[in-house]
Amino acid sequence: MNTAIVGLQWGDEGKGKIIDILAEKADYIVRFQGGNNAGHTVVVGDREFVFHLIPSGILHKAKTCVIANGVVIDPESLLSEMEYLDKNGIKLKSNLKISELCHIIMPYHRILDKLRESKRTQRIGTTGRGIGPCYADKISRCGIRAVDLLNPNVFKEKLEDNLKEKNEIFKKVYKHPGFDLDQLYNQYFDYGKRISKYICNTTILLQEVVKKNKSILFEGAQGTFLDIDFGTYPFVTSSNTTAGGICNGSGMPPETINKVVGVVKAYTTRVGEGPFPTEFKDELSDIIREKGREFGATTGRPRRCGWFDAVLVKYATSLSGVREVAMMKLDVLDNLKEISVCVSYKYKGKIFRNFPYDFEVLTGAQPVYKTFKGWCSDLSKIHKFNRLPRNALNYLCALEDLILAKIRIVSVGSARSETIFR
Ligand code: GDP
Ligand code: IMO
Ligand code: MG
């Protein structure tokens, strides 16, 4: 049984916690898109781990974690994450595999990411990790892949070609001195050597895994509305975060994905710029940010907060074929007397029940809310679904009807134990 985990909002839904829990039953945990823009938090006892590139299943010693071809890798960030794990007693050996086909984030990608942002009138608010420029090079067919880093001739030729064009652009457009071929070559060839023992053909590896009937957990990063095709473009990331991204991002044919579990927060957050119809406009923003500790796991930026948007989440479940969801952070709403859910948008007198593609409509959309009574009690010690207070059950059942998916997991705290399975 192979399961995929995807985020149904703008990321940070709590995927890390759910991956860590579901990894128990899987043999392989596979990241298929994104890069170190992700920040997935796993809490074990009094320790908190944040993963950026390495799959969140790594804490389970007997499992193999795979960084598949759809992921972009910054070797510096990867090496420092490996060091962080090592310091925390987590040893990496044959339990980590990296696809030869992963594209490599180079320093010129990171710098270009920041320079482009500084030139835009409408900033995206990227994580500044070079994600967009690296994926752009992949599509432009000038990217450097993990397998290229290991071959001195290929790597040098590709790097030379890249710098020839890029140094011109850096100097002329951005007044940046550009990059030295030999220095960059030596540095990155060395990184390649240091990670070479993890690099392999993960496509064949995973196909064998399927043949042997072992189980895979696909770990999505970001969230549906950061998807390059279906998100709030251009305020999105540069990969397909929806379930469709799994096949291209891992080399697994569609029939290998048996189930897609959506991870969604009981309210909404977003980091970075872009439309957010249900964003709080009052002090609730600070109250929820504080109670939910809503600060970015990668950049530390305060996350924007708002009510649950059923228009968005219904669209997200349909895009990824999600029939089961994990409803996260319900405990964050514990003290609220009233809780609202957006059921449609209103724009210039017209009602929109589906996610509008027109940017003007999306940015000007007025949410139409349905309001529910809060439960005003502590949920964190509840372990059974039917023991949840009536008002919490009412809220959850209403959400199920709105998003057309069953709530199978309710999370009421960051710890593994603060999880209700239905
Ligand atoms: P991800 O990017 O989807 O993996 O999510 P992040 O790790 O960036 O952000 C989720 C945050 O919420 C982390 O700090 C988690 O420890 C925390 N968290 C997860 N589930 C719950 C929950 O049910 N309640 C509370 N209060 N915190 C949670
Ligand atoms: P996880 O996996 C939340 C956002 C950035 C920015 C936009 C583009 O932890 O859910 P990028 O650097 O990808 O080009 O930035 O996407 N973003 C995230 N927001 N969680 C994430 O990952 C994110 N990864 C990227 O804030 O708005
Ligand atoms: Mg995160």
Side-chain angles (χ1 to χ4, degrees):
M1 177 79 176
N2 304 322
T3 304
I5 301 293
V6 295
L8 300 183
Q9 291 152 320
W10 277 288
D12 304 325
E13 295 90 350
K15 299 177 291 294
K17 168 173 168 166
I18 295 301
I19 302 280
D20 169 65
I21 289 175
L22 299 186
E24 191 92 57
K25 291 207 179 92
D27 300 300
Y28 286 75
I29 299 95
V30 180
R31 269 283 303 266
F32 56 91
Q33 47 73 228
N36 60 322
N37 48 349
H40 297 174
T41 314
V42 177
V43 175
V44 186
D46 56 3
R47 294 168 82 192
E48 184 178 278
F49 298 88
V50 181
F51 302 107
H52 299 287
L53 261 174
I54 295 178
S56 308
I58 200 73
L59 299 178
H60 299 268
K61 286 196 184 79
K63 319 285 173 178
T64 305
C65 288
V66 178
I67 301 179
N69 59 284
V71 176
V72 288
I73 294 185
D74 182 331
E76 264 178 23
S77 165
L78 178 64
L79 285 163
S80 79
E81 197 163 334
M82 287 172 164
E83 203 177 310
Y84 159 81
L85 287 178
D86 191 66
K87 275 199 192 124
N88 282 285
I90 297 146
K91 301 292 167 212
L92 297 177
K93 284 191 205 120
S94 55
N95 56 342
L96 179 70
K97 308 281 181 201
I98 298 172
S99 167
E100 290 172 305
L101 300 180
C102 286
H103 278 249
I104 301 293
I105 299 178
M106 300 294 288
Y108 45 77
H109 293 134
R110 276 197 309 261
I111 292 175
L112 188 60
D113 192 1
K114 292 183 186 133
L115 288 171
R116 263 194 198 147
E117 280 281 88
S118 70
K119 286 232 177 222
R120 279 175 173 265
T121 13
Q122 279 259 326
R123 286 177 51 238
I124 296 172
T126 72
T127 59
R129 301 296 193 263
I131 305 294
C134 182
Y135 276 114
D137 275 1
K138 172 176 175 173
I139 302 301
S140 304
R141 295 161 293 183
C142 63
I144 292 168
R145 301 165 306 167
V147 67
D148 303 329
L149 272 194
L150 307 183
N151 182 322
N153 300 331
V154 175
F155 178 37
K156 191 135 205 184
E157 202 173 298
K158 285 197 170 192
L159 188 60
E160 204 169 355
D161 242 19
N162 266 287
L163 290 188
K164 224 187 281 168
E165 185 198 19
K166 290 188 164 74
N167 277 345
E168 289 277 305
I169 298 173
F170 271 100
K171 283 177 197 151
K172 294 194 177 137
V173 180
Y174 297 104
K175 314 287 173 246
H176 181 282
F179 300 85
D180 179 69
L181 174 65
D182 288 332
Q183 193 266 325
L184 217 52
Y185 170 81
N186 290 330
Q187 187 184 5
Y188 277 73
F189 189 65
D190 177 60
Y191 290 153
K193 269 201 270 188
R194 288 164 66 189
I195 59 173
S196 61
K197 64 176 173 195
Y198 305 103
I199 299 176
C200 64
N201 184 330
T202 59
T203 324
I204 289 188
L205 174 97
L206 290 175
Q207 284 169 357
E208 288 300 316
V209 166
V210 171
K211 268 192 214 147
K212 286 183 190 146
N213 267 331
K214 301 231 178 213
S215 69
I216 303 174
L217 184 63
F218 293 100
E219 170 171 354
Q222 288 80 52
T224 300
F225 295 95
L226 292 173
D227 183 285
I228 185 75
D229 284 285
F230 299 105
T232 45
Y233 191 90
F235 301 93
V236 293
T237 191
S238 301
S239 62
N240 283 112
T241 61
T242 41
I246 298 170
C247 298
N248 289 329
S250 68
M252 289 288 95
E255 76 265 16
T256 50
I257 307 157
N258 306 112
K259 182 160 84 172
V260 186
V261 175
V263 183
V264 62
K265 259 183 232 194
Y267 51 99
T268 314
T269 63
R270 161 159 220 179
V271 207
E273 307 304 316
F276 182 173
T278 62
E279 186 168 15
F280 296 132
K281 301 211 168 37
D282 50 17
E283 65 280 1
L284 253 182
S285 192
D286 294 329
I287 295 170
I288 295 296
R289 184 175 308 116
E290 200 166 308
K291 175 107 165 90
R293 294 173 60 214
E294 295 296 357
F295 294 89
T298 297
T299 56
R301 289 177 290 178
R303 295 175 182 150
R304 298 157 66 192
C305 301
W307 293 122
F308 190 94
D309 187 335
V311 179
L312 291 188
V313 179
K314 184 182 80 173
Y315 183 49
T317 57
S318 73
L319 281 170
S320 289
V322 169
R323 291 191 183 83
E324 298 185 8
V325 301
M327 184 62 64
M328 311 302 288
K329 302 188 95 160
L330 191 62
D331 57 298
V332 175
L333 307 181
D334 276 359
N335 304 327
L336 302 183
K337 289 199 178 70
E338 283 191 335
I339 299 166
S340 297
V341 175
C342 169
V343 293
S344 61
Y345 303 135
K346 202 170 179 182
Y347 182 70
K348 291 191 175 165
K350 207 175 144 195
I351 292 288
F352 291 80
R353 288 197 171 77
N354 293 309
F355 178 70
Y357 288 164
D358 184 326
F359 197 69
E360 194 182 299
V361 179
L362 191 62
T363 42
Q366 289 304 310
V368 177
Y369 287 117
K370 191 166 175 191
T371 298
F372 296 83
K373 279 207 178 93
W375 42 93
C376 300
S377 61
D378 175 10
L379 299 186
S380 68
K381 303 288 174 299
I382 296 178
H383 297 291
K384 290 216 164 74
F385 191 79
N386 328 336
R387 292 280 165 84
L388 284 166
R390 173 169 293 277
N391 288 351
L393 287 173
N394 284 346
Y395 181 61
L396 295 178
C397 292
L399 292 187
E400 279 189 330
D401 290 342
L402 289 165
I403 66 174
L404 308 177
K406 253 324 209 200
I407 296 170
R408 291 280 178 217
I409 296 174
V410 180
S411 177
V412 290
S414 53
R416 285 172 176 170
S417 59
E418 290 164 325
T419 315
I420 302 168
F421 298 92
R422 191 179 178 189

mmCIF file of all heavy atoms in Angstrom, residues 82-114:
data_model
loop_
_atom_site.group_PDB
_atom_site.id
_atom_site.type_symbol
_atom_site.label_atom_id
_atom_site.label_comp_id
_atom_site.label_asym_id
_atom_site.label_seq_id
_atom_site.Cartn_x
_atom_site.Cartn_y
_atom_site.Cartn_z
ATOM 1 N N MET A 82 22.793 17.193 7.128
ATOM 2 C CA MET A 82 23.394 15.901 7.522
ATOM 3 C C MET A 82 24.181 16.062 8.822
ATOM 4 O O MET A 82 24.134 15.205 9.705
ATOM 5 C CB MET A 82 24.331 15.410 6.415
ATOM 6 C CG MET A 82 23.588 14.901 5.205
ATOM 7 S SD MET A 82 24.745 14.564 3.871
ATOM 8 C CE MET A 82 23.710 13.557 2.810
ATOM 9 N N GLU A 83 24.882 17.175 8.906
ATOM 10 C CA GLU A 83 25.677 17.450 10.102
ATOM 11 C C GLU A 83 24.773 17.615 11.325
ATOM 12 O O GLU A 83 25.049 17.095 12.409
ATOM 13 C CB GLU A 83 26.465 18.739 9.859
ATOM 14 C CG GLU A 83 27.714 18.891 10.694
ATOM 15 C CD GLU A 83 28.435 20.173 10.298
ATOM 16 O OE1 GLU A 83 28.661 20.382 9.080
ATOM 17 O OE2 GLU A 83 28.717 20.980 11.189
ATOM 18 N N TYR A 84 23.659 18.322 11.100
ATOM 19 C CA TYR A 84 22.675 18.549 12.165
ATOM 20 C C TYR A 84 22.113 17.223 12.668
ATOM 21 O O TYR A 84 21.992 16.986 13.873
ATOM 22 C CB TYR A 84 21.585 19.469 11.600
ATOM 23 C CG TYR A 84 20.239 19.484 12.279
ATOM 24 C CD1 TYR A 84 20.035 20.244 13.429
ATOM 25 C CD2 TYR A 84 19.148 18.793 11.753
ATOM 26 C CE1 TYR A 84 18.777 20.291 14.036
ATOM 27 C CE2 TYR A 84 17.896 18.838 12.335
ATOM 28 C CZ TYR A 84 17.717 19.580 13.473
ATOM 29 O OH TYR A 84 16.475 19.623 14.067
ATOM 30 N N LEU A 85 21.828 16.316 11.729
ATOM 31 C CA LEU A 85 21.301 15.000 12.115
ATOM 32 C C LEU A 85 22.356 14.221 12.883
ATOM 33 O O LEU A 85 22.068 13.607 13.911
ATOM 34 C CB LEU A 85 20.862 14.219 10.877
ATOM 35 C CG LEU A 85 19.573 14.707 10.217
ATOM 36 C CD1 LEU A 85 19.268 13.894 8.966
ATOM 37 C CD2 LEU A 85 18.392 14.594 11.181
ATOM 38 N N ASP A 86 23.576 14.271 12.380
ATOM 39 C CA ASP A 86 24.677 13.551 13.018
ATOM 40 C C ASP A 86 24.849 14.013 14.466
ATOM 41 O O ASP A 86 24.981 13.202 15.383
ATOM 42 C CB ASP A 86 25.948 13.783 12.194
ATOM 43 C CG ASP A 86 27.063 12.859 12.635
ATOM 44 O OD1 ASP A 86 26.896 11.634 12.430
ATOM 45 O OD2 ASP A 86 28.055 13.336 13.215
ATOM 46 N N LYS A 87 24.818 15.334 14.648
ATOM 47 C CA LYS A 87 24.970 15.895 15.999
ATOM 48 C C LYS A 87 23.851 15.433 16.916
ATOM 49 O O LYS A 87 23.995 15.370 18.123
ATOM 50 C CB LYS A 87 24.943 17.428 15.926
ATOM 51 C CG LYS A 87 26.296 18.017 15.604
ATOM 52 C CD LYS A 87 26.348 19.492 15.989
ATOM 53 C CE LYS A 87 27.586 20.121 15.403
ATOM 54 N NZ LYS A 87 27.310 21.286 14.569
ATOM 55 N N ASN A 88 22.691 15.155 16.311
ATOM 56 C CA ASN A 88 21.549 14.714 17.106
ATOM 57 C C ASN A 88 21.430 13.198 17.169
ATOM 58 O O ASN A 88 20.366 12.661 17.483
ATOM 59 C CB ASN A 88 20.267 15.334 16.566
ATOM 60 C CG ASN A 88 20.145 16.781 17.004
ATOM 61 O OD1 ASN A 88 19.834 17.068 18.153
ATOM 62 N ND2 ASN A 88 20.456 17.695 16.110
ATOM 63 N N GLY A 89 22.521 12.526 16.823
ATOM 64 C CA GLY A 89 22.565 11.068 16.983
ATOM 65 C C GLY A 89 21.867 10.290 15.881
ATOM 66 O O GLY A 89 21.628 9.089 16.028
ATOM 67 N N ILE A 90 21.516 10.961 14.769
ATOM 68 C CA ILE A 90 20.862 10.223 13.677
ATOM 69 C C ILE A 90 21.887 9.957 12.585
ATOM 70 O O ILE A 90 22.401 10.875 11.949
ATOM 71 C CB ILE A 90 19.651 11.001 13.129
ATOM 72 C CG1 ILE A 90 18.627 11.144 14.257
ATOM 73 C CG2 ILE A 90 19.006 10.294 11.930
ATOM 74 C CD1 ILE A 90 17.881 12.410 14.205
ATOM 75 N N LYS A 91 22.205 8.690 12.417
ATOM 76 C CA LYS A 91 23.282 8.316 11.490
ATOM 77 C C LYS A 91 22.715 8.027 10.107
ATOM 78 O O LYS A 91 21.735 7.303 9.964
ATOM 79 C CB LYS A 91 24.025 7.072 12.010
ATOM 80 C CG LYS A 91 24.631 7.279 13.387
ATOM 81 C CD LYS A 91 25.790 8.288 13.361
ATOM 82 C CE LYS A 91 26.166 8.725 14.780
ATOM 83 N NZ LYS A 91 26.654 10.083 14.903
ATOM 84 N N LEU A 92 23.352 8.613 9.104
ATOM 85 C CA LEU A 92 22.932 8.353 7.723
ATOM 86 C C LEU A 92 23.904 7.382 7.087
ATOM 87 O O LEU A 92 25.108 7.605 7.102
ATOM 88 C CB LEU A 92 22.932 9.656 6.916
ATOM 89 C CG LEU A 92 21.966 10.733 7.367
ATOM 90 C CD1 LEU A 92 22.136 11.971 6.508
ATOM 91 C CD2 LEU A 92 20.532 10.243 7.276
ATOM 92 N N LYS A 93 23.357 6.304 6.546
ATOM 93 C CA LYS A 93 24.202 5.354 5.818
ATOM 94 C C LYS A 93 23.420 4.979 4.570
ATOM 95 O O LYS A 93 23.146 5.817 3.732
ATOM 96 C CB LYS A 93 24.496 4.132 6.692
ATOM 97 C CG LYS A 93 25.540 4.418 7.765
ATOM 98 C CD LYS A 93 25.986 3.119 8.424
ATOM 99 C CE LYS A 93 26.499 3.413 9.828
ATOM 100 N NZ LYS A 93 25.754 2.712 10.851
ATOM 101 N N SER A 94 23.036 3.699 4.510
ATOM 102 C CA SER A 94 22.263 3.275 3.343
ATOM 103 C C SER A 94 20.789 3.664 3.491
ATOM 104 O O SER A 94 19.972 3.346 2.642
ATOM 105 C CB SER A 94 22.399 1.778 3.167
ATOM 106 O OG SER A 94 22.007 1.170 4.376
ATOM 107 N N ASN A 95 20.462 4.364 4.581
ATOM 108 C CA ASN A 95 19.060 4.766 4.774
ATOM 109 C C ASN A 95 18.710 6.070 4.054
ATOM 110 O O ASN A 95 17.611 6.590 4.191
ATOM 111 C CB ASN A 95 18.721 4.873 6.267
ATOM 112 C CG ASN A 95 19.644 5.833 6.998
ATOM 113 O OD1 ASN A 95 20.720 6.169 6.509
ATOM 114 N ND2 ASN A 95 19.225 6.278 8.165
ATOM 115 N N LEU A 96 19.665 6.632 3.292
ATOM 116 C CA LEU A 96 19.354 7.817 2.484
ATOM 117 C C LEU A 96 19.820 7.589 1.062
ATOM 118 O O LEU A 96 20.960 7.171 0.825
ATOM 119 C CB LEU A 96 20.039 9.080 3.056
ATOM 120 C CG LEU A 96 19.783 10.349 2.243
ATOM 121 C CD1 LEU A 96 18.328 10.805 2.374
ATOM 122 C CD2 LEU A 96 20.707 11.495 2.675
ATOM 123 N N LYS A 97 18.927 7.840 0.113
ATOM 124 C CA LYS A 97 19.258 7.696 -1.307
ATOM 125 C C LYS A 97 18.881 8.990 -2.020
ATOM 126 O O LYS A 97 17.807 9.549 -1.756
ATOM 127 C CB LYS A 97 18.451 6.551 -1.947
ATOM 128 C CG LYS A 97 18.540 5.236 -1.202
ATOM 129 C CD LYS A 97 19.831 4.520 -1.517
ATOM 130 C CE LYS A 97 19.912 3.191 -0.778
ATOM 131 N NZ LYS A 97 21.278 2.709 -0.655
ATOM 132 N N ILE A 98 19.762 9.414 -2.904
ATOM 133 C CA ILE A 98 19.507 10.657 -3.655
ATOM 134 C C ILE A 98 19.533 10.331 -5.142
ATOM 135 O O ILE A 98 20.471 9.677 -5.621
ATOM 136 C CB ILE A 98 20.599 11.702 -3.326
ATOM 137 C CG1 ILE A 98 20.562 12.051 -1.834
ATOM 138 C CG2 ILE A 98 20.419 12.955 -4.185
ATOM 139 C CD1 ILE A 98 21.725 12.918 -1.376
ATOM 140 N N SER A 99 18.542 10.809 -5.858
ATOM 141 C CA SER A 99 18.472 10.509 -7.297
ATOM 142 C C SER A 99 19.583 11.218 -8.071
ATOM 143 O O SER A 99 19.871 12.400 -7.841
ATOM 144 C CB SER A 99 17.125 10.942 -7.861
ATOM 145 O OG SER A 99 17.176 10.936 -9.261
ATOM 146 N N GLU A 100 20.153 10.480 -9.018
ATOM 147 C CA GLU A 100 21.152 11.054 -9.926
ATOM 148 C C GLU A 100 20.564 12.219 -10.722
ATOM 149 O O GLU A 100 21.279 13.063 -11.227
ATOM 150 C CB GLU A 100 21.597 9.976 -10.927
ATOM 151 C CG GLU A 100 22.421 8.874 -10.306
ATOM 152 C CD GLU A 100 22.674 7.739 -11.295
ATOM 153 O OE1 GLU A 100 21.696 7.191 -11.848
ATOM 154 O OE2 GLU A 100 23.842 7.412 -11.525
ATOM 155 N N LEU A 101 19.240 12.200 -10.863
ATOM 156 C CA LEU A 101 18.599 13.193 -11.732
ATOM 157 C C LEU A 101 18.191 14.487 -11.018
ATOM 158 O O LEU A 101 17.645 15.389 -11.644
ATOM 159 C CB LEU A 101 17.354 12.570 -12.387
ATOM 160 C CG LEU A 101 17.608 11.335 -13.265
ATOM 161 C CD1 LEU A 101 16.289 10.834 -13.849
ATOM 162 C CD2 LEU A 101 18.595 11.659 -14.377
ATOM 163 N N CYS A 102 18.422 14.559 -9.712
ATOM 164 C CA CYS A 102 18.061 15.799 -8.994
ATOM 165 C C CYS A 102 18.869 16.962 -9.556
ATOM 166 O O CYS A 102 20.084 16.840 -9.742
ATOM 167 C CB CYS A 102 18.391 15.674 -7.511
ATOM 168 S SG CYS A 102 17.276 14.622 -6.597
ATOM 169 N N HIS A 103 18.211 18.079 -9.764
ATOM 170 C CA HIS A 103 18.952 19.270 -10.202
ATOM 171 C C HIS A 103 19.588 19.958 -8.993
ATOM 172 O O HIS A 103 19.038 19.918 -7.891
ATOM 173 C CB HIS A 103 18.029 20.212 -10.976
ATOM 174 C CG HIS A 103 17.880 19.776 -12.406
ATOM 175 N ND1 HIS A 103 18.404 20.477 -13.451
ATOM 176 C CD2 HIS A 103 17.312 18.661 -12.930
ATOM 177 C CE1 HIS A 103 18.157 19.819 -14.586
ATOM 178 N NE2 HIS A 103 17.481 18.725 -14.291
ATOM 179 N N ILE A 104 20.753 20.549 -9.265
ATOM 180 C CA ILE A 104 21.544 21.129 -8.177
ATOM 181 C C ILE A 104 21.345 22.646 -8.117
ATOM 182 O O ILE A 104 21.426 23.336 -9.146
ATOM 183 C CB ILE A 104 23.049 20.824 -8.401
ATOM 184 C CG1 ILE A 104 23.279 19.302 -8.450
ATOM 185 C CG2 ILE A 104 23.931 21.481 -7.330
ATOM 186 C CD1 ILE A 104 23.037 18.561 -7.147
ATOM 187 N N ILE A 105 21.078 23.130 -6.914
ATOM 188 C CA ILE A 105 20.995 24.588 -6.716
ATOM 189 C C ILE A 105 22.420 25.112 -6.562
ATOM 190 O O ILE A 105 23.160 24.667 -5.692
ATOM 191 C CB ILE A 105 20.159 24.938 -5.468
ATOM 192 C CG1 ILE A 105 18.722 24.418 -5.626
ATOM 193 C CG2 ILE A 105 20.171 26.452 -5.215
ATOM 194 C CD1 ILE A 105 17.828 24.679 -4.432
ATOM 195 N N MET A 106 22.782 26.031 -7.446
ATOM 196 C CA MET A 106 24.124 26.617 -7.432
ATOM 197 C C MET A 106 24.045 28.006 -6.781
ATOM 198 O O MET A 106 22.957 28.593 -6.701
ATOM 199 C CB MET A 106 24.641 26.730 -8.874
ATOM 200 C CG MET A 106 24.733 25.400 -9.615
ATOM 201 S SD MET A 106 25.970 24.274 -8.913
ATOM 202 C CE MET A 106 27.500 25.066 -9.405
ATOM 203 N N PRO A 107 25.180 28.566 -6.359
ATOM 204 C CA PRO A 107 25.142 29.890 -5.723
ATOM 205 C C PRO A 107 24.488 30.944 -6.627
ATOM 206 O O PRO A 107 23.808 31.848 -6.140
ATOM 207 C CB PRO A 107 26.620 30.226 -5.507
ATOM 208 C CG PRO A 107 27.318 28.924 -5.503
ATOM 209 C CD PRO A 107 26.531 27.993 -6.361
ATOM 210 N N TYR A 108 24.674 30.793 -7.973
ATOM 211 C CA TYR A 108 24.055 31.806 -8.848
ATOM 212 C C TYR A 108 22.522 31.728 -8.800
ATOM 213 O O TYR A 108 21.851 32.715 -9.030
ATOM 214 C CB TYR A 108 24.590 31.746 -10.287
ATOM 215 C CG TYR A 108 24.724 30.384 -10.940
ATOM 216 C CD1 TYR A 108 23.613 29.711 -11.430
ATOM 217 C CD2 TYR A 108 25.979 29.791 -11.093
ATOM 218 C CE1 TYR A 108 23.742 28.480 -12.063
ATOM 219 C CE2 TYR A 108 26.115 28.550 -11.723
ATOM 220 C CZ TYR A 108 24.992 27.893 -12.204
ATOM 221 O OH TYR A 108 25.112 26.677 -12.823
ATOM 222 N N HIS A 109 21.983 30.573 -8.475
ATOM 223 C CA HIS A 109 20.520 30.479 -8.331
ATOM 224 C C HIS A 109 20.053 31.227 -7.084
ATOM 225 O O HIS A 109 19.072 31.968 -7.117
ATOM 226 C CB HIS A 109 20.087 29.012 -8.223
ATOM 227 C CG HIS A 109 20.313 28.225 -9.472
ATOM 228 N ND1 HIS A 109 20.879 26.973 -9.482
ATOM 229 C CD2 HIS A 109 20.044 28.522 -10.774
ATOM 230 C CE1 HIS A 109 20.940 26.525 -10.718
ATOM 231 N NE2 HIS A 109 20.452 27.451 -11.523
ATOM 232 N N ARG A 110 20.785 30.990 -6.000
ATOM 233 C CA ARG A 110 20.402 31.642 -4.732
ATOM 234 C C ARG A 110 20.468 33.154 -4.863
ATOM 235 O O ARG A 110 19.572 33.875 -4.439
ATOM 236 C CB ARG A 110 21.371 31.214 -3.621
ATOM 237 C CG ARG A 110 21.029 29.906 -2.964
ATOM 238 C CD ARG A 110 21.777 29.772 -1.644
ATOM 239 N NE ARG A 110 23.198 30.010 -1.768
ATOM 240 C CZ ARG A 110 24.122 29.035 -1.856
ATOM 241 N NH1 ARG A 110 23.758 27.771 -1.845
ATOM 242 N NH2 ARG A 110 25.392 29.334 -1.938
ATOM 243 N N ILE A 111 21.550 33.619 -5.477
ATOM 244 C CA ILE A 111 21.734 35.076 -5.574
ATOM 245 C C ILE A 111 20.727 35.681 -6.549
ATOM 246 O O ILE A 111 20.127 36.719 -6.269
ATOM 247 C CB ILE A 111 23.199 35.404 -5.929
ATOM 248 C CG1 ILE A 111 24.051 35.013 -4.712
ATOM 249 C CG2 ILE A 111 23.387 36.868 -6.294
ATOM 250 C CD1 ILE A 111 25.522 35.128 -4.876
ATOM 251 N N LEU A 112 20.497 34.982 -7.655
ATOM 252 C CA LEU A 112 19.523 35.481 -8.620
ATOM 253 C C LEU A 112 18.124 35.556 -8.018
ATOM 254 O O LEU A 112 17.363 36.496 -8.268
ATOM 255 C CB LEU A 112 19.519 34.564 -9.855
ATOM 256 C CG LEU A 112 18.695 35.059 -11.042
ATOM 257 C CD1 LEU A 112 19.211 36.404 -11.538
ATOM 258 C CD2 LEU A 112 18.738 34.044 -12.186
ATOM 259 N N ASP A 113 17.781 34.567 -7.203
ATOM 260 C CA ASP A 113 16.484 34.545 -6.514
ATOM 261 C C ASP A 113 16.291 35.866 -5.746
ATOM 262 O O ASP A 113 15.270 36.554 -5.885
ATOM 263 C CB ASP A 113 16.478 33.347 -5.538
ATOM 264 C CG ASP A 113 15.098 33.030 -4.970
ATOM 265 O OD1 ASP A 113 14.135 33.713 -5.341
ATOM 266 O OD2 ASP A 113 15.003 32.090 -4.153
ATOM 267 N N LYS A 114 17.319 36.252 -4.996
ATOM 268 C CA LYS A 114 17.227 37.477 -4.188
ATOM 269 C C LYS A 114 17.260 38.730 -5.063
ATOM 270 O O LYS A 114 16.518 39.688 -4.829
ATOM 271 C CB LYS A 114 18.353 37.509 -3.161
ATOM 272 C CG LYS A 114 18.138 36.423 -2.110
ATOM 273 C CD LYS A 114 19.197 36.460 -1.029
ATOM 274 C CE LYS A 114 19.026 35.284 -0.087
ATOM 275 N NZ LYS A 114 20.240 34.567 0.205
#
